[in-house]
Amino acid sequence: MTGADRDDRRYVELTTRSARLINAMAMVINLMIIASTWGDWQVFAIAAIGHTVVVFVNWYVSVALVPRYGARVDVARAVFNTCVCSALYQLIGWPLPVWFWLPFTALTFQEFGGRSSLVVLAIMCVVQGGAGLACGVAPLVPLAFVGLTVVCHVVARQRTAIIRQMLATSDRQRAELARAELELRQAQKLEAIGRLAAGVAHEINTPMQFIGDSLSFVRDGVGDLLGGPCDPTEVAYLRAQLPAAIARASDGVARVAATVRSLGRFANPGGVAAEVDVNAAIHDALVLATRDYELVADVALDLGTLPLVTCDGAAIRQVLHGLVTNAAQAIADTDARRGTIAVTSRRRRDGVSIAVADTGTGIAEAARAHIFDPFFTTKPVGRGSGQSLAAARAIVERHGGRITFVTEVGKGTTFEVFLPVGAVRAAA
Ligand SMILES: Nc1ncnc2c1ncn2[C@@H]1O[C@H](COP(=O)(O)OP(=O)(O)OP(=O)(O)O)[C@@H](O)[C@H]1O
Ligand SMILES: [Mg+2]
């Protein structure tokens, strides 16, 4: 949008907002002019009819044309008014209130229309002043009102200049804020990747350790068995322990494989709609959040039979991961040694719902209205950046779903996500 377009839009906004006051003031001047012809009934009738026509034309222009064409129409209207009214005043003898139009117009013209308003004011002064003088009005009257018009115009112009300057400053500040927000988002994205990488490293590290231990045990045991005669108790011991060690190692491999699979699904490019098994998405989110909750909470799963949901699977897993992490953090903040995160999924009439309930701190009354605001967090730096729920709501709403919560301080919180089955406008 160009600066001129923006100015024009603001002009229309401002005039629309102050239209009632301006119209009322104009009406008062009209009535004063008509009233000043009281007693001379022929002139009174001309004044009444003439002003009714002018008022109607002005009403139509301000309602129908100014919003569509902006300041330019007002310029044309002012010239029209001056010419038609000057002709009318010849007939009714130039009563004093007709001169109020000049300062009135200077006050009500907004400067967003640019230079044209100045030109129009000058034309009005010349036309009305000239016509008045030609009709025999005492020169002092037009002179005094033209002077007043100039003063009104200068004051209005300076005030408008100040407002424009303030608007420009606020535009600049808004742009700077948007840039800073973008930079912050990027930094937080990197931080989130770091957290995810640390979580994955931890998830893989533990099974790798017992895979390593088990394989060392197998290597030593097999070495002993193959190395020569062993005593029978040792053989019996190895026979009992070797299969268990191999089972532990393959269990570890399965855990690593599961983590890598979950990670792969998280890394799927977002914005792609596919048929998603929401229960599997819950499992994936839980696997990747293991490090966040395992020390503080037990997970109770109650998963119903669900239809496949057409949605952006990576984004939905991100939503669930955020909810589980929040639940774990809320439990960690209580005095209890351990808590419970209950994850429930249910088929609903036209979609599926997933509930994540925790026995954590609950959400304080004052925070409830803000938890979905971007960057709202009650957590210290490094623990929370206030983005998960804002992102979660955006994602869920993008799918035509909703996210709600109930909470009780000291008892816990339940978040519920509803997704319609044929959800999606997945690509954002
Ligand atoms: N289950 C919950 N129990 C209690 N408070 C919660 C819960 N979930 C969210 N909140 C509150 O809502 C705030 C916003 O949550 P959100 O997940 O958006 O940000 P965060 O957890 O602070 O940071 P991050 O972006 O790293 O997740 C939290 O700081 C917390 O105060
Ligand atoms: Mg969070």
Side-chain angles (χ1 to χ4, degrees), residues 195 322-323 325-330 358 360-364 367 370-373 376-379 383-391 407 412-415:
R195 266 207 311 271
L323 294 183
T325 307
N326 281 347
Q329 289 175 335
D358 65 63
T361 52
I363 303 172
H370 304 291
I371 58 169
F372 291 107
D373 294 350
F376 175 82
T377 183
T378 54
K379 297 168 190 170
R383 187 160 183 249
S385 56
Q387 292 197 86
S388 304
L389 286 181
T407 184
T413 306
T414 302
F415 277 89

PDB file of all heavy atoms in Angstrom, residues 195 322-323 325-330 358 360-364 367 370-373 376-379 383-391 407 412-415, ligand 1:
ATOM      1  N   ARG A 195      16.888 -28.430  22.356  1.00  0.00           N
ATOM      2  CA  ARG A 195      16.215 -29.222  23.403  1.00  0.00           C
ATOM      3  C   ARG A 195      15.824 -30.593  22.867  1.00  0.00           C
ATOM      4  O   ARG A 195      16.001 -31.611  23.520  1.00  0.00           O
ATOM      5  CB  ARG A 195      14.973 -28.484  23.884  1.00  0.00           C
ATOM      6  CG  ARG A 195      15.204 -27.625  25.108  1.00  0.00           C
ATOM      7  CD  ARG A 195      13.932 -27.466  25.898  1.00  0.00           C
ATOM      8  NE  ARG A 195      12.789 -27.074  25.088  1.00  0.00           N
ATOM      9  CZ  ARG A 195      12.458 -25.815  24.833  1.00  0.00           C
ATOM     10  NH1 ARG A 195      13.183 -24.840  25.310  1.00  0.00           N
ATOM     11  NH2 ARG A 195      11.402 -25.530  24.109  1.00  0.00           N
ATOM     12  N   GLY A 322       3.826 -30.774  23.068  1.00  0.00           N
ATOM     13  CA  GLY A 322       3.768 -29.562  23.904  1.00  0.00           C
ATOM     14  C   GLY A 322       2.877 -29.773  25.117  1.00  0.00           C
ATOM     15  O   GLY A 322       3.223 -29.360  26.233  1.00  0.00           O
ATOM     16  N   LEU A 323       1.719 -30.436  24.913  1.00  0.00           N
ATOM     17  CA  LEU A 323       0.788 -30.639  26.030  1.00  0.00           C
ATOM     18  C   LEU A 323       1.391 -31.567  27.080  1.00  0.00           C
ATOM     19  O   LEU A 323       1.274 -31.324  28.288  1.00  0.00           O
ATOM     20  CB  LEU A 323      -0.538 -31.224  25.524  1.00  0.00           C
ATOM     21  CG  LEU A 323      -1.370 -30.306  24.614  1.00  0.00           C
ATOM     22  CD1 LEU A 323      -2.687 -30.977  24.233  1.00  0.00           C
ATOM     23  CD2 LEU A 323      -1.640 -28.970  25.299  1.00  0.00           C
ATOM     24  N   THR A 325       4.595 -32.112  27.632  1.00  0.00           N
ATOM     25  CA  THR A 325       5.694 -31.412  28.305  1.00  0.00           C
ATOM     26  C   THR A 325       5.158 -30.454  29.357  1.00  0.00           C
ATOM     27  O   THR A 325       5.649 -30.390  30.487  1.00  0.00           O
ATOM     28  CB  THR A 325       6.526 -30.623  27.265  1.00  0.00           C
ATOM     29  OG1 THR A 325       6.901 -31.523  26.242  1.00  0.00           O
ATOM     30  CG2 THR A 325       7.765 -30.025  27.885  1.00  0.00           C
ATOM     31  N   ASN A 326       4.102 -29.704  28.997  1.00  0.00           N
ATOM     32  CA  ASN A 326       3.502 -28.785  29.976  1.00  0.00           C
ATOM     33  C   ASN A 326       2.984 -29.545  31.190  1.00  0.00           C
ATOM     34  O   ASN A 326       3.158 -29.101  32.330  1.00  0.00           O
ATOM     35  CB  ASN A 326       2.330 -28.020  29.341  1.00  0.00           C
ATOM     36  CG  ASN A 326       2.807 -26.867  28.482  1.00  0.00           C
ATOM     37  OD1 ASN A 326       3.978 -26.490  28.539  1.00  0.00           O
ATOM     38  ND2 ASN A 326       1.924 -26.325  27.677  1.00  0.00           N
ATOM     39  N   ALA A 327       2.324 -30.686  30.934  1.00  0.00           N
ATOM     40  CA  ALA A 327       1.770 -31.476  32.039  1.00  0.00           C
ATOM     41  C   ALA A 327       2.897 -31.912  32.973  1.00  0.00           C
ATOM     42  O   ALA A 327       2.799 -31.784  34.203  1.00  0.00           O
ATOM     43  CB  ALA A 327       1.032 -32.688  31.486  1.00  0.00           C
ATOM     44  N   ALA A 328       4.006 -32.394  32.371  1.00  0.00           N
ATOM     45  CA  ALA A 328       5.131 -32.865  33.191  1.00  0.00           C
ATOM     46  C   ALA A 328       5.719 -31.709  34.007  1.00  0.00           C
ATOM     47  O   ALA A 328       6.011 -31.858  35.201  1.00  0.00           O
ATOM     48  CB  ALA A 328       6.203 -33.470  32.287  1.00  0.00           C
ATOM     49  N   GLN A 329       5.850 -30.555  33.372  1.00  0.00           N
ATOM     50  CA  GLN A 329       6.429 -29.410  34.091  1.00  0.00           C
ATOM     51  C   GLN A 329       5.513 -28.965  35.228  1.00  0.00           C
ATOM     52  O   GLN A 329       5.978 -28.591  36.297  1.00  0.00           O
ATOM     53  CB  GLN A 329       6.690 -28.253  33.117  1.00  0.00           C
ATOM     54  CG  GLN A 329       7.856 -28.568  32.174  1.00  0.00           C
ATOM     55  CD  GLN A 329       8.064 -27.498  31.113  1.00  0.00           C
ATOM     56  OE1 GLN A 329       7.130 -26.778  30.759  1.00  0.00           O
ATOM     57  NE2 GLN A 329       9.265 -27.417  30.583  1.00  0.00           N
ATOM     58  N   ALA A 330       4.175 -29.022  34.985  1.00  0.00           N
ATOM     59  CA  ALA A 330       3.236 -28.613  36.039  1.00  0.00           C
ATOM     60  C   ALA A 330       3.310 -29.586  37.214  1.00  0.00           C
ATOM     61  O   ALA A 330       3.194 -29.180  38.371  1.00  0.00           O
ATOM     62  CB  ALA A 330       1.822 -28.556  35.484  1.00  0.00           C
ATOM     63  N   ASP A 358      -3.369 -33.679  33.814  1.00  0.00           N
ATOM     64  CA  ASP A 358      -2.251 -33.840  34.743  1.00  0.00           C
ATOM     65  C   ASP A 358      -2.685 -33.566  36.172  1.00  0.00           C
ATOM     66  O   ASP A 358      -3.735 -32.969  36.410  1.00  0.00           O
ATOM     67  CB  ASP A 358      -1.084 -32.922  34.336  1.00  0.00           C
ATOM     68  CG  ASP A 358      -1.443 -31.446  34.446  1.00  0.00           C
ATOM     69  OD1 ASP A 358      -1.718 -30.977  35.567  1.00  0.00           O
ATOM     70  OD2 ASP A 358      -1.437 -30.759  33.406  1.00  0.00           O
ATOM     71  N   GLY A 360      -0.961 -31.673  38.111  1.00  0.00           N
ATOM     72  CA  GLY A 360       0.029 -30.626  38.399  1.00  0.00           C
ATOM     73  C   GLY A 360      -0.541 -29.463  39.193  1.00  0.00           C
ATOM     74  O   GLY A 360      -1.568 -29.589  39.865  1.00  0.00           O
ATOM     75  N   THR A 361       0.106 -28.336  39.042  1.00  0.00           N
ATOM     76  CA  THR A 361      -0.210 -27.165  39.872  1.00  0.00           C
ATOM     77  C   THR A 361      -1.573 -26.537  39.565  1.00  0.00           C
ATOM     78  O   THR A 361      -2.135 -25.834  40.393  1.00  0.00           O
ATOM     79  CB  THR A 361       0.827 -26.048  39.616  1.00  0.00           C
ATOM     80  OG1 THR A 361       0.870 -25.850  38.192  1.00  0.00           O
ATOM     81  CG2 THR A 361       2.190 -26.418  40.131  1.00  0.00           C
ATOM     82  N   GLY A 362      -2.079 -26.787  38.357  1.00  0.00           N
ATOM     83  CA  GLY A 362      -3.244 -26.025  37.912  1.00  0.00           C
ATOM     84  C   GLY A 362      -2.769 -24.665  37.395  1.00  0.00           C
ATOM     85  O   GLY A 362      -1.591 -24.306  37.571  1.00  0.00           O
ATOM     86  N   ILE A 363      -3.679 -23.937  36.759  1.00  0.00           N
ATOM     87  CA  ILE A 363      -3.288 -22.636  36.184  1.00  0.00           C
ATOM     88  C   ILE A 363      -3.951 -21.522  36.991  1.00  0.00           C
ATOM     89  O   ILE A 363      -5.169 -21.531  37.186  1.00  0.00           O
ATOM     90  CB  ILE A 363      -3.725 -22.539  34.711  1.00  0.00           C
ATOM     91  CG1 ILE A 363      -3.126 -23.703  33.919  1.00  0.00           C
ATOM     92  CG2 ILE A 363      -3.312 -21.214  34.103  1.00  0.00           C
ATOM     93  CD1 ILE A 363      -3.640 -23.830  32.509  1.00  0.00           C
ATOM     94  N   ALA A 364      -3.139 -20.597  37.446  1.00  0.00           N
ATOM     95  CA  ALA A 364      -3.659 -19.505  38.280  1.00  0.00           C
ATOM     96  C   ALA A 364      -4.704 -18.718  37.500  1.00  0.00           C
ATOM     97  O   ALA A 364      -4.577 -18.537  36.279  1.00  0.00           O
ATOM     98  CB  ALA A 364      -2.516 -18.584  38.694  1.00  0.00           C
ATOM     99  N   ALA A 367      -3.639 -16.116  35.015  1.00  0.00           N
ATOM    100  CA  ALA A 367      -2.912 -16.535  33.805  1.00  0.00           C
ATOM    101  C   ALA A 367      -3.845 -17.143  32.764  1.00  0.00           C
ATOM    102  O   ALA A 367      -3.500 -17.219  31.588  1.00  0.00           O
ATOM    103  CB  ALA A 367      -1.831 -17.535  34.179  1.00  0.00           C
ATOM    104  N   HIS A 370      -4.424 -15.806  29.336  1.00  0.00           N
ATOM    105  CA  HIS A 370      -3.249 -15.474  28.503  1.00  0.00           C
ATOM    106  C   HIS A 370      -2.471 -16.674  28.002  1.00  0.00           C
ATOM    107  O   HIS A 370      -1.532 -16.518  27.236  1.00  0.00           O
ATOM    108  CB  HIS A 370      -2.291 -14.591  29.312  1.00  0.00           C
ATOM    109  CG  HIS A 370      -2.937 -13.357  29.829  1.00  0.00           C
ATOM    110  ND1 HIS A 370      -3.331 -12.338  29.015  1.00  0.00           N
ATOM    111  CD2 HIS A 370      -3.299 -13.002  31.080  1.00  0.00           C
ATOM    112  CE1 HIS A 370      -3.907 -11.393  29.738  1.00  0.00           C
ATOM    113  NE2 HIS A 370      -3.908 -11.780  30.992  1.00  0.00           N
ATOM    114  N   ILE A 371      -2.829 -17.883  28.467  1.00  0.00           N
ATOM    115  CA  ILE A 371      -1.909 -18.995  28.179  1.00  0.00           C
ATOM    116  C   ILE A 371      -1.759 -19.282  26.688  1.00  0.00           C
ATOM    117  O   ILE A 371      -0.767 -19.843  26.273  1.00  0.00           O
ATOM    118  CB  ILE A 371      -2.301 -20.283  28.932  1.00  0.00           C
ATOM    119  CG1 ILE A 371      -3.717 -20.695  28.574  1.00  0.00           C
ATOM    120  CG2 ILE A 371      -2.143 -20.124  30.438  1.00  0.00           C
ATOM    121  CD1 ILE A 371      -4.053 -22.087  29.085  1.00  0.00           C
ATOM    122  N   PHE A 372      -2.757 -18.854  25.882  1.00  0.00           N
ATOM    123  CA  PHE A 372      -2.626 -19.090  24.441  1.00  0.00           C
ATOM    124  C   PHE A 372      -1.947 -17.906  23.730  1.00  0.00           C
ATOM    125  O   PHE A 372      -1.791 -17.926  22.516  1.00  0.00           O
ATOM    126  CB  PHE A 372      -3.995 -19.354  23.806  1.00  0.00           C
ATOM    127  CG  PHE A 372      -4.599 -20.667  24.234  1.00  0.00           C
ATOM    128  CD1 PHE A 372      -5.658 -20.698  25.109  1.00  0.00           C
ATOM    129  CD2 PHE A 372      -4.085 -21.866  23.764  1.00  0.00           C
ATOM    130  CE1 PHE A 372      -6.218 -21.906  25.508  1.00  0.00           C
ATOM    131  CE2 PHE A 372      -4.626 -23.078  24.155  1.00  0.00           C
ATOM    132  CZ  PHE A 372      -5.696 -23.108  25.033  1.00  0.00           C
ATOM    133  N   ASP A 373      -1.596 -16.866  24.498  1.00  0.00           N
ATOM    134  CA  ASP A 373      -0.928 -15.725  23.870  1.00  0.00           C
ATOM    135  C   ASP A 373       0.508 -16.114  23.513  1.00  0.00           C
ATOM    136  O   ASP A 373       1.187 -16.754  24.317  1.00  0.00           O
ATOM    137  CB  ASP A 373      -0.842 -14.525  24.830  1.00  0.00           C
ATOM    138  CG  ASP A 373      -2.223 -13.971  25.142  1.00  0.00           C
ATOM    139  OD1 ASP A 373      -3.184 -14.387  24.473  1.00  0.00           O
ATOM    140  OD2 ASP A 373      -2.318 -13.142  26.052  1.00  0.00           O
ATOM    141  N   PHE A 376       3.594 -15.905  26.099  1.00  0.00           N
ATOM    142  CA  PHE A 376       3.186 -15.831  27.504  1.00  0.00           C
ATOM    143  C   PHE A 376       3.720 -17.063  28.224  1.00  0.00           C
ATOM    144  O   PHE A 376       3.442 -18.195  27.845  1.00  0.00           O
ATOM    145  CB  PHE A 376       1.665 -15.789  27.655  1.00  0.00           C
ATOM    146  CG  PHE A 376       1.257 -15.841  29.108  1.00  0.00           C
ATOM    147  CD1 PHE A 376       1.271 -14.694  29.875  1.00  0.00           C
ATOM    148  CD2 PHE A 376       0.937 -17.045  29.718  1.00  0.00           C
ATOM    149  CE1 PHE A 376       0.949 -14.730  31.225  1.00  0.00           C
ATOM    150  CE2 PHE A 376       0.616 -17.100  31.066  1.00  0.00           C
ATOM    151  CZ  PHE A 376       0.623 -15.945  31.817  1.00  0.00           C
ATOM    152  N   THR A 377       4.513 -16.821  29.244  1.00  0.00           N
ATOM    153  CA  THR A 377       5.027 -17.948  30.024  1.00  0.00           C
ATOM    154  C   THR A 377       5.127 -17.549  31.485  1.00  0.00           C
ATOM    155  O   THR A 377       5.315 -16.374  31.804  1.00  0.00           O
ATOM    156  CB  THR A 377       6.412 -18.404  29.502  1.00  0.00           C
ATOM    157  OG1 THR A 377       6.814 -19.540  30.258  1.00  0.00           O
ATOM    158  CG2 THR A 377       7.463 -17.324  29.612  1.00  0.00           C
ATOM    159  N   THR A 378       4.982 -18.527  32.366  1.00  0.00           N
ATOM    160  CA  THR A 378       5.209 -18.258  33.787  1.00  0.00           C
ATOM    161  C   THR A 378       6.490 -18.954  34.214  1.00  0.00           C
ATOM    162  O   THR A 378       6.782 -19.049  35.394  1.00  0.00           O
ATOM    163  CB  THR A 378       4.029 -18.795  34.621  1.00  0.00           C
ATOM    164  OG1 THR A 378       3.836 -20.176  34.296  1.00  0.00           O
ATOM    165  CG2 THR A 378       2.751 -18.028  34.351  1.00  0.00           C
ATOM    166  N   LYS A 379       7.220 -19.471  33.210  1.00  0.00           N
ATOM    167  CA  LYS A 379       8.410 -20.261  33.535  1.00  0.00           C
ATOM    168  C   LYS A 379       9.679 -19.433  33.372  1.00  0.00           C
ATOM    169  O   LYS A 379       9.706 -18.506  32.564  1.00  0.00           O
ATOM    170  CB  LYS A 379       8.458 -21.492  32.622  1.00  0.00           C
ATOM    171  CG  LYS A 379       7.253 -22.380  32.868  1.00  0.00           C
ATOM    172  CD  LYS A 379       7.062 -23.450  31.830  1.00  0.00           C
ATOM    173  CE  LYS A 379       5.703 -24.103  32.056  1.00  0.00           C
ATOM    174  NZ  LYS A 379       5.308 -24.988  30.973  1.00  0.00           N
ATOM    175  N   ARG A 383      13.461 -22.571  30.580  1.00  0.00           N
ATOM    176  CA  ARG A 383      12.540 -23.674  30.841  1.00  0.00           C
ATOM    177  C   ARG A 383      11.296 -23.557  29.958  1.00  0.00           C
ATOM    178  O   ARG A 383      10.705 -24.553  29.562  1.00  0.00           O
ATOM    179  CB  ARG A 383      12.130 -23.660  32.303  1.00  0.00           C
ATOM    180  CG  ARG A 383      11.309 -24.876  32.709  1.00  0.00           C
ATOM    181  CD  ARG A 383      11.360 -25.062  34.203  1.00  0.00           C
ATOM    182  NE  ARG A 383      10.658 -26.247  34.620  1.00  0.00           N
ATOM    183  CZ  ARG A 383       9.531 -26.239  35.312  1.00  0.00           C
ATOM    184  NH1 ARG A 383       8.981 -25.090  35.650  1.00  0.00           N
ATOM    185  NH2 ARG A 383       8.954 -27.356  35.674  1.00  0.00           N
ATOM    186  N   GLY A 384      10.929 -22.322  29.661  1.00  0.00           N
ATOM    187  CA  GLY A 384       9.755 -22.148  28.810  1.00  0.00           C
ATOM    188  C   GLY A 384       9.847 -20.841  28.058  1.00  0.00           C
ATOM    189  O   GLY A 384      10.393 -19.862  28.567  1.00  0.00           O
ATOM    190  N   SER A 385       9.322 -20.842  26.835  1.00  0.00           N
ATOM    191  CA  SER A 385       9.370 -19.597  26.073  1.00  0.00           C
ATOM    192  C   SER A 385       7.973 -19.127  25.709  1.00  0.00           C
ATOM    193  O   SER A 385       7.804 -18.143  25.003  1.00  0.00           O
ATOM    194  CB  SER A 385      10.214 -19.797  24.813  1.00  0.00           C
ATOM    195  OG  SER A 385       9.678 -20.868  24.084  1.00  0.00           O
ATOM    196  N   GLY A 386       6.955 -19.838  26.171  1.00  0.00           N
ATOM    197  CA  GLY A 386       5.576 -19.383  25.942  1.00  0.00           C
ATOM    198  C   GLY A 386       5.105 -19.525  24.512  1.00  0.00           C
ATOM    199  O   GLY A 386       4.306 -18.732  24.042  1.00  0.00           O
ATOM    200  N   GLN A 387       5.582 -20.560  23.837  1.00  0.00           N
ATOM    201  CA  GLN A 387       5.176 -20.693  22.440  1.00  0.00           C
ATOM    202  C   GLN A 387       4.299 -21.899  22.154  1.00  0.00           C
ATOM    203  O   GLN A 387       3.548 -21.899  21.179  1.00  0.00           O
ATOM    204  CB  GLN A 387       6.426 -20.797  21.568  1.00  0.00           C
ATOM    205  CG  GLN A 387       7.213 -19.532  21.536  1.00  0.00           C
ATOM    206  CD  GLN A 387       8.169 -19.546  20.377  1.00  0.00           C
ATOM    207  OE1 GLN A 387       7.819 -19.188  19.276  1.00  0.00           O
ATOM    208  NE2 GLN A 387       9.367 -20.001  20.634  1.00  0.00           N
ATOM    209  N   SER A 388       4.425 -22.941  22.995  1.00  0.00           N
ATOM    210  CA  SER A 388       3.768 -24.202  22.636  1.00  0.00           C
ATOM    211  C   SER A 388       2.263 -24.052  22.481  1.00  0.00           C
ATOM    212  O   SER A 388       1.686 -24.516  21.504  1.00  0.00           O
ATOM    213  CB  SER A 388       4.042 -25.273  23.690  1.00  0.00           C
ATOM    214  OG  SER A 388       5.400 -25.429  23.840  1.00  0.00           O
ATOM    215  N   LEU A 389       1.620 -23.407  23.453  1.00  0.00           N
ATOM    216  CA  LEU A 389       0.158 -23.348  23.385  1.00  0.00           C
ATOM    217  C   LEU A 389      -0.313 -22.411  22.273  1.00  0.00           C
ATOM    218  O   LEU A 389      -1.325 -22.676  21.636  1.00  0.00           O
ATOM    219  CB  LEU A 389      -0.414 -22.916  24.737  1.00  0.00           C
ATOM    220  CG  LEU A 389      -0.366 -23.988  25.831  1.00  0.00           C
ATOM    221  CD1 LEU A 389      -0.968 -23.461  27.123  1.00  0.00           C
ATOM    222  CD2 LEU A 389      -1.079 -25.252  25.402  1.00  0.00           C
ATOM    223  N   ALA A 390       0.427 -21.328  22.056  1.00  0.00           N
ATOM    224  CA  ALA A 390       0.048 -20.419  20.953  1.00  0.00           C
ATOM    225  C   ALA A 390       0.129 -21.181  19.636  1.00  0.00           C
ATOM    226  O   ALA A 390      -0.790 -21.132  18.799  1.00  0.00           O
ATOM    227  CB  ALA A 390       0.964 -19.208  20.931  1.00  0.00           C
ATOM    228  N   ALA A 391       1.229 -21.933  19.470  1.00  0.00           N
ATOM    229  CA  ALA A 391       1.388 -22.715  18.239  1.00  0.00           C
ATOM    230  C   ALA A 391       0.312 -23.793  18.184  1.00  0.00           C
ATOM    231  O   ALA A 391      -0.280 -24.036  17.124  1.00  0.00           O
ATOM    232  CB  ALA A 391       2.777 -23.340  18.194  1.00  0.00           C
ATOM    233  N   THR A 407      -9.199 -26.342  34.586  1.00  0.00           N
ATOM    234  CA  THR A 407      -8.081 -26.372  35.516  1.00  0.00           C
ATOM    235  C   THR A 407      -8.557 -26.017  36.914  1.00  0.00           C
ATOM    236  O   THR A 407      -9.549 -25.311  37.079  1.00  0.00           O
ATOM    237  CB  THR A 407      -6.980 -25.384  35.059  1.00  0.00           C
ATOM    238  OG1 THR A 407      -5.866 -25.512  35.944  1.00  0.00           O
ATOM    239  CG2 THR A 407      -7.458 -23.936  35.063  1.00  0.00           C
ATOM    240  N   GLY A 412      -4.925 -29.792  39.269  1.00  0.00           N
ATOM    241  CA  GLY A 412      -4.391 -30.172  37.967  1.00  0.00           C
ATOM    242  C   GLY A 412      -5.156 -29.534  36.825  1.00  0.00           C
ATOM    243  O   GLY A 412      -6.063 -28.724  37.027  1.00  0.00           O
ATOM    244  N   THR A 413      -4.757 -29.927  35.623  1.00  0.00           N
ATOM    245  CA  THR A 413      -5.299 -29.310  34.415  1.00  0.00           C
ATOM    246  C   THR A 413      -5.563 -30.380  33.373  1.00  0.00           C
ATOM    247  O   THR A 413      -4.805 -31.349  33.276  1.00  0.00           O
ATOM    248  CB  THR A 413      -4.275 -28.313  33.831  1.00  0.00           C
ATOM    249  OG1 THR A 413      -3.908 -27.400  34.871  1.00  0.00           O
ATOM    250  CG2 THR A 413      -4.832 -27.536  32.656  1.00  0.00           C
ATOM    251  N   THR A 414      -6.633 -30.199  32.625  1.00  0.00           N
ATOM    252  CA  THR A 414      -6.888 -31.092  31.492  1.00  0.00           C
ATOM    253  C   THR A 414      -7.030 -30.253  30.229  1.00  0.00           C
ATOM    254  O   THR A 414      -7.864 -29.336  30.187  1.00  0.00           O
ATOM    255  CB  THR A 414      -8.191 -31.891  31.701  1.00  0.00           C
ATOM    256  OG1 THR A 414      -8.072 -32.630  32.915  1.00  0.00           O
ATOM    257  CG2 THR A 414      -8.440 -32.841  30.541  1.00  0.00           C
ATOM    258  N   PHE A 415      -6.212 -30.556  29.251  1.00  0.00           N
ATOM    259  CA  PHE A 415      -6.358 -29.919  27.939  1.00  0.00           C
ATOM    260  C   PHE A 415      -7.058 -30.909  27.028  1.00  0.00           C
ATOM    261  O   PHE A 415      -6.748 -32.104  27.053  1.00  0.00           O
ATOM    262  CB  PHE A 415      -4.989 -29.572  27.350  1.00  0.00           C
ATOM    263  CG  PHE A 415      -4.452 -28.268  27.868  1.00  0.00           C
ATOM    264  CD1 PHE A 415      -3.681 -28.239  29.013  1.00  0.00           C
ATOM    265  CD2 PHE A 415      -4.727 -27.079  27.213  1.00  0.00           C
ATOM    266  CE1 PHE A 415      -3.197 -27.042  29.505  1.00  0.00           C
ATOM    267  CE2 PHE A 415      -4.247 -25.873  27.706  1.00  0.00           C
ATOM    268  CZ  PHE A 415      -3.479 -25.854  28.843  1.00  0.00           C
TER     269      PHE A 415
HETATM  270  N1  LIG B   1      -0.693 -28.285  32.137  1.00  0.00           N
HETATM  271  C1  LIG B   1      -0.434 -27.071  32.640  1.00  0.00           C
HETATM  272  N2  LIG B   1      -0.509 -26.842  33.981  1.00  0.00           N
HETATM  273  C2  LIG B   1      -0.255 -25.600  34.484  1.00  0.00           C
HETATM  274  N3  LIG B   1       0.073 -24.521  33.737  1.00  0.00           N
HETATM  275  C3  LIG B   1       0.140 -24.687  32.401  1.00  0.00           C
HETATM  276  C4  LIG B   1      -0.106 -25.962  31.773  1.00  0.00           C
HETATM  277  N4  LIG B   1       0.035 -25.805  30.455  1.00  0.00           N
HETATM  278  C5  LIG B   1       0.351 -24.518  30.244  1.00  0.00           C
HETATM  279  N5  LIG B   1       0.423 -23.848  31.395  1.00  0.00           N
HETATM  280  C6  LIG B   1       0.704 -22.412  31.595  1.00  0.00           C
HETATM  281  O1  LIG B   1       0.617 -21.789  30.324  1.00  0.00           O
HETATM  282  C7  LIG B   1       1.828 -21.101  30.015  1.00  0.00           C
HETATM  283  C8  LIG B   1       2.053 -21.150  28.513  1.00  0.00           C
HETATM  284  O2  LIG B   1       2.318 -22.481  28.100  1.00  0.00           O
HETATM  285  P1  LIG B   1       3.190 -22.748  26.817  1.00  0.00           P
HETATM  286  O3  LIG B   1       3.337 -24.203  26.645  1.00  0.00           O
HETATM  287  O4  LIG B   1       2.615 -21.961  25.671  1.00  0.00           O
HETATM  288  O5  LIG B   1       4.569 -22.060  27.161  1.00  0.00           O
HETATM  289  P2  LIG B   1       5.720 -22.561  28.120  1.00  0.00           P
HETATM  290  O6  LIG B   1       5.456 -23.965  28.562  1.00  0.00           O
HETATM  291  O7  LIG B   1       5.869 -21.553  29.185  1.00  0.00           O
HETATM  292  O8  LIG B   1       6.979 -22.517  27.151  1.00  0.00           O
HETATM  293  P3  LIG B   1       7.278 -23.459  25.861  1.00  0.00           P
HETATM  294  O9  LIG B   1       7.016 -22.609  24.665  1.00  0.00           O
HETATM  295  O10 LIG B   1       8.683 -23.823  26.011  1.00  0.00           O
HETATM  296  O11 LIG B   1       6.329 -24.622  25.930  1.00  0.00           O
HETATM  297  C9  LIG B   1       2.881 -21.795  30.828  1.00  0.00           C
HETATM  298  O12 LIG B   1       3.982 -20.939  31.089  1.00  0.00           O
HETATM  299  C10 LIG B   1       2.109 -22.152  32.102  1.00  0.00           C
HETATM  300  O13 LIG B   1       2.042 -21.053  32.972  1.00  0.00           O
END
